[in-house]
Amino acid sequence: MTTPMVKAEGVHKSFGAAHILKGIDLEVAPREVFCLVGPSGSGKSTFLRCINHLEQINAGRLSVDGELVGYRQKGDKLYELKDSEVAFQRRDIGMVFQRFNLFPHMTAIENVMEAPIQVKGEAKAVARARAEKLLDRVGLADKKKNYPTQLSGGQQQRVAIARALAMEPKLMLFDEPTSALDPELVGDVLDVMRGLAEDGMTMIVVTHEMGFAREVGDALVFMDDGVVVESGHPRDVLTNPQHDRTKSFLSKVL
Amino acid sequence: MTDKFDKTPAGSPAGQVHVSKAATTAPENIKAIPVRHVGRWVSGAVVIGLLVALGYAFSQGNIQWQAVGDKLFDSTVVAGAGRTLLISVLAMVLGVILGVVLAVMRLSKNPVTSWVAWLYIWFFRGTPVYVQLLLWFNLALIFPVLNIPFIYKDEMTDVMTPFMCALLGLALNEAAYMAEICRAGIQSVDEGQTEASHALGMTQAKTMRRVVLPQALRVIIPPTGNEFINMLKTSSLVYAVTYNELLRSTSQIGSTSYAVMEMLFVASIWYIVMTSVFSVGQYYLERRYARGSLRSLPLTPLQRVKVSLASFSNRPSGGVSA
């Protein structure tokens, strides 16, 4: 039996009095494209952010590739990881944000080169060569010297994907990667993601793009109000939802 | 204009000409009688009148302009200006360093350091810099001996030279203001930047150094430039602690030569030259840090002059008179 890439058992998360995640159990297999869908406020983005410890969970267990996120377990005691250890865990987990979050004071290629140089101590020439390859892969070889403000949203998001890939992660998290884009720019970003999926990258995608989920997804989870309502193969869930809540949501977005 | 349009369709060959003309020439500009801005003319005239009156008053005043010219580059005056510059730069450097430390303390999760930083800022911003200078100057009244066990021991009056009073007074005061400027700058950086950096595996320290501070600098630099220019002028207050900066050295000449106002003019000229020079420097510094925040940088004044000269020489003629 292979270790799941991500395993969540009874994950809870609250922000003050707001109980956002109310016991999430799920498993993501390696090389799987795992789609998280649901209405806004359902906790899907929060769950995604827990996976790389941008948010700290309050209860349950969450592990990536067999390793607890943010904690070390000794016997039955949990020890919080130090800042540097958390950072080390995040090296292998790429994340793409809804608002791109490119570093505005760096050019496209500098954005892609930054983490390998700063985190892995990679030589500049090596990092540059890989960054050029990655920018070429996302179709932006000619934009490498542009600053983020000089790029369209779709271009920025593709640079952001290249930046995450530069760390050669084993898992990629996508937090509504196309929600902030003009409709005509969505396709380019989804094409890049489709290519990644074909190459066997493990991906967890929070999305409202049901078409993408159906075509590319291997598994789909419908979340509402902090719990998993329904899960299964995207084709089954999207075409034949069992739960009323899923049905009413899908009738609005499809 | 109306004639032209009326005539063209009349003759059959003229119609062809009209079509080709429309294809090659730009549309005719609107020719309208401009609005008369009477108010502008009146207010302009009033202001010029007042300026002339002011100029006349000065020409009639009992001013030895000769003395202004003579003393402008007097060695005492130049040395005083040099000391003004020296104390301003040193106080600013010290103020910035201390300010950054205080800002980091203020933002730290440790409640003790955060509270101490708050207390410091509260005191040094809440009392006038002039009072602070006098406090340093008179420190020997309450602590006659400076005694740091095993490290240093000396008479306070020997430690607190006018230079030290001036430096400490200005720098510690400046640090409080710089702390608030730095804090605002750091907080202005979008949280998504920190998250993106963390998600890439960068530590807190690296995130601060590589991602947050470079972006915060863009917010910090302009007010810091203003602070320095203010510092050049505020440094005249160290007159009170007998440090021989520009104002003190000019005033001394003034009181011995009875050219009080003339020497104040000399000081003003030096101050305005120094602040102007640094304002230009600040402009280019801000441009440097605007990288990435604008799609394209605005032109520098020099570039603008060049462009306007170029457009002047090939300005299309006949735009208005057609």
Side-chain angles (χ1 to χ4, degrees):
Chain A
M1 189 195 126
T2 55
T3 5
M5 185 57 82
V6 175
K7 185 171 183 179
E9 298 166 285
V11 169
H12 283 258
K13 172 70 189 170
S14 321
F15 292 102
H19 200 172
I20 304 297
L21 300 178
K22 301 169 180 169
I24 302 286
D25 296 280
L26 54 80
E27 271 185 31
V28 180
R31 304 173 69 84
E32 197 170 42
V33 176
F34 192 96
C35 298
L36 276 173
V37 300
S40 47
S42 60
K44 50 197 194 315
S45 285
T46 303
F47 178 69
L48 199 71
R49 291 159 59 82
C50 289
I51 296 174
N52 67 354
H53 207 57
L54 284 180
E55 306 292 353
Q56 195 165 6
I57 62 175
N58 300 122
R61 290 286 187 276
L62 182 58
S63 59
V64 172
D65 208 9
E67 212 178 307
L68 276 186
V69 175
Y71 299 96
R72 189 186 311 108
Q73 187 157 17
K74 265 191 198 162
D76 55 353
K77 274 191 184 151
L78 277 189
Y79 296 87
E80 265 187 35
L81 292 184
K82 283 189 288 187
D83 172 45
S84 57
E85 294 168 319
V86 173
F88 194 85
Q89 282 190 333
R90 287 180 180 138
R91 285 174 169 214
D92 296 333
I93 307 170
M95 184 158 188
V96 174
F97 298 85
Q98 182 179 359
R99 307 276 338 157
F100 330 133
N101 293 345
L102 287 180
F103 304 135
H105 57 302
M106 301 180 193
T107 59
I109 195 160
E110 284 167 355
N111 264 281
V112 182
M113 290 163 64
E114 179 69 8
I117 293 174
Q118 293 299 325
V119 178
K120 287 184 175 168
E122 207 166 68
K124 232 179 176 177
V126 180
R128 182 178 297 277
R130 181 177 329 92
E132 276 174 355
K133 219 181 286 172
L134 284 169
L135 285 177
D136 189 39
R137 175 175 179 178
V138 299
L140 292 171
D142 56 330
K143 300 283 184 192
K144 62 181 179 184
K145 294 227 173 84
N146 288 44
Y147 284 97
T149 44
Q150 299 164 326
L151 300 173
S152 73
Q155 290 169 337
Q156 288 190 53
Q157 193 60 297
R158 285 183 279 154
V159 174
I161 294 173
R163 177 176 71 172
L165 290 176
M167 287 298 285
E168 298 177 325
K170 56 188 178 193
L171 169 66
M172 283 285 281
L173 310 174
F174 290 87
D175 188 6
E176 303 198 25
T178 56
S179 297
L181 299 178
D182 290 341
E184 53 177 340
L185 303 176
V186 168
D188 292 338
V189 172
L190 291 183
D191 284 344
V192 169
M193 290 169 64
R194 195 171 288 128
L196 267 180
E198 280 160 13
D199 289 355
M201 174 64 77
T202 313
M203 295 159 67
I204 303 181
V205 187
V206 172
T207 187
H208 294 297
E209 297 289 332
M210 297 304 157
F212 175 82
R214 189 173 357 196
E215 281 173 50
V216 185
D218 300 308
L220 185 141
V221 155
F222 175 75
M223 276 177 73
D224 188 27
D225 199 23
V227 293
V228 172
V229 175
E230 192 165 349
S231 62
H233 195 277
R235 257 192 316 271
D236 302 334
V237 179
L238 293 177
T239 50
N240 186 21
Q242 299 300 312
H243 202 281
D244 285 346
R245 191 66 195 85
T246 322
K247 280 177 195 162
S248 81
F249 175 75
L250 290 177
S251 70
K252 280 172 201 150
V253 296
L254 284 178
Chain B
M1 186 181 102
T2 43
D3 282 6
K4 252 187 191 171
F5 279 106
D6 287 341
K7 273 175 190 169
T8 31
S12 51
Q16 276 180 334
V17 174
H18 177 68
V19 170
S20 67
K21 236 188 172 180
T24 53
T25 63
E28 206 170 342
N29 287 338
I30 290 174
K31 284 180 289 178
I33 312 296
V35 173
R36 304 277 174 225
H37 295 285
V38 181
R40 287 184 198 172
W41 283 97
V42 171
S43 56
V46 168
V47 169
I48 287 175
L50 288 173
L51 276 179
V52 167
L54 189 68
Y56 176 76
F58 266 84
S59 72
Q60 297 302 300
N62 182 17
I63 303 167
Q64 301 162 264
W65 290 108
Q66 187 70 35
V68 175
D70 284 351
K71 295 292 181 189
L72 191 58
F73 295 105
D74 186 282
S75 62
T76 324
V77 173
V78 174
R83 281 194 208 97
T84 285
L85 205 57
L86 177 75
I87 198 75
S88 302
V89 170
L90 288 182
M92 198 67 204
V93 169
L94 207 61
V96 168
I97 294 169
L98 248 172
V100 172
V101 172
L102 282 166
V104 172
M105 282 171 70
R106 188 91 170 74
L107 292 171
S108 94
K109 287 177 189 137
N110 183 336
V112 177
T113 56
S114 170
W115 183 76
V116 167
W118 178 86
L119 199 70
Y120 180 100
I121 294 165
W122 177 67
F123 176 78
F124 282 93
R125 287 206 314 174
T127 54
V129 63
Y130 191 67
V131 173
Q132 290 168 28
L133 283 164
L134 292 177
L135 282 174
W136 290 111
F137 190 58
N138 293 305
L139 202 60
L141 295 178
I142 52 171
F143 301 118
V145 175
L146 175 64
N147 186 358
I148 306 170
F150 313 117
I151 300 175
Y152 191 85
K153 187 173 180 177
D154 205 349
E155 295 284 318
M156 188 60 88
T157 44
D158 292 341
V159 182
M160 279 296 155
T161 58
F163 174 78
M164 278 303 282
C165 290
L167 182 62
L168 282 176
L170 293 178
L172 296 192
N173 180 260
E174 187 56 40
Y177 287 92
M178 281 312 301
E180 289 299 88
I181 290 172
C182 292
R183 184 167 74 106
I186 290 170
Q187 286 181 330
S188 76
V189 178
D190 184 54
E191 220 180 323
Q193 292 291 309
T194 319
E195 287 181 355
S197 173
H198 284 168
L200 285 166
M202 286 163 82
T203 57
Q204 305 250 16
K206 227 160 216 162
T207 300
M208 185 52 99
R209 210 173 63 241
R210 297 287 307 175
V211 176
V212 177
L213 280 184
Q215 294 182 61
L217 273 185
R218 204 169 57 220
V219 179
I220 292 171
I221 293 236
T224 303
N226 287 340
E227 285 294 307
F228 180 69
I229 286 161
N230 266 332
M231 176 69 87
L232 279 170
K233 296 176 287 175
T234 310
S235 71
S236 62
L237 289 179
V238 306
Y239 187 111
V241 297
T242 70
Y243 182 65
N244 254 326
E245 42 64 71
L246 179 56
L247 181 63
R248 196 173 180 85
S249 41
T250 49
S251 301
Q252 273 166 353
I253 299 175
S255 56
T256 51
S257 64
Y258 303 107
V260 176
M261 278 297 274
E262 288 77 0
M263 291 315 291
L264 287 175
F265 290 165
V266 169
S268 303
I269 291 169
W270 274 100
Y271 279 121
I272 210 161
V273 166
M274 285 194 280
T275 51
S276 306
V277 167
F278 282 102
S279 301
V280 172
Q282 189 196 357
Y283 174 84
Y284 282 95
L285 204 63
E286 279 178 31
R287 247 178 87 81
R288 165 88 173 62
Y289 280 95
R291 266 187 331 177
S293 66
L294 304 165
R295 275 162 203 270
S296 59
L297 287 173
L299 299 177
T300 64
L302 206 69
Q303 286 169 331
R304 242 178 281 156
V305 168
K306 276 185 193 158
V307 168
S308 70
L309 280 179
S311 71
F312 201 68
S313 54
N314 16 307
R315 175 163 292 171
S317 56
V320 185
S321 60

